[in-house]
Amino acid sequence: MTVEGEDQELVARAQAARALAYAPYSGYHVGAAVRGASGQIYAAGNVENASYGLTVCAERAAVFKAVSEGERKLVTVAVATENGGSPCGACRQVLREFGLAMRVLVVDSAGRTRAYTLADLLPDSFGPEDLAERET
Ligand code: THU
């Protein structure tokens, strides 16, 4: 699909974040850029660790940047990789917390882009509403 308007900027920010990813072990560089409801963009790359299991994916790093700056609703996320890989399951759940209707743009190094909603990527999900309904 063709990326237009403010999504172009978001994709460019994800690609720029990918260039700064710290991935010396896997060599798989990922960049993510999140647009909050305020219009602000928060971007990050994956951050690996010599203790491999401590690695943080780009999507979660970007979400944590946004939320720790006060954003509570995330509107669109762009994820940039070499091969157009999709967000992992853990990241889908973390994204879902801040916007079930969130748009997810997945882009490869040639700029080929696929668009989803979080509901496409994580159907019948568990979220904050489930806890709000609990009996006390
Ligand atoms: N990775 C991400 O940053 N996001 C994903 O959604 C999938 C995987 C990272 C984690 C690790 O640094 C590398 O890609 C290989 O798994």
Side-chain angles (χ1 to χ4, degrees):
M1 61 163 280
T2 312
V3 179
E4 291 173 339
E6 60 181 18
D7 287 344
Q8 278 180 336
E9 183 191 6
L10 199 66
V11 165
R13 290 286 300 274
Q15 289 167 329
R18 178 173 177 257
L20 299 177
Y22 178 74
Y25 305 108
S26 73
Y28 192 72
H29 295 74
V30 185
V34 167
R35 185 185 299 282
S38 73
Q40 275 280 121
I41 293 174
Y42 307 84
N46 50 332
V47 182
E48 297 189 344
N49 192 276
S51 178
Y52 298 163
L54 301 184
T55 292
V56 177
C57 292
E59 297 92 323
R60 276 179 288 156
V63 167
F64 296 156
K65 267 180 100 168
V67 174
S68 61
E69 292 294 329
E71 297 284 354
R72 290 294 181 271
K73 186 171 182 343
L74 307 182
V75 178
T76 309
V77 57
V79 182
T81 58
E82 168 73 32
N83 62 350
S86 279
C88 80
C91 289
R92 294 178 193 205
Q93 180 67 35
V94 169
L95 289 163
R96 184 257 181 264
E97 180 79 15
F98 301 101
L100 188 55
M102 191 186 314
R103 295 166 58 245
V104 181
L105 306 175
V106 177
V107 59
D108 70 14
S109 59
R112 284 182 291 255
T113 306
R114 312 189 304 279
Y116 304 92
T117 67
L118 214 281
D120 294 331
L121 295 179
L122 198 66
D124 197 22
S125 63
F126 180 84
E129 303 79 7
D130 295 297
L131 293 178
E133 286 167 9
R134 71 192 186 280
E135 293 171 21
T136 51

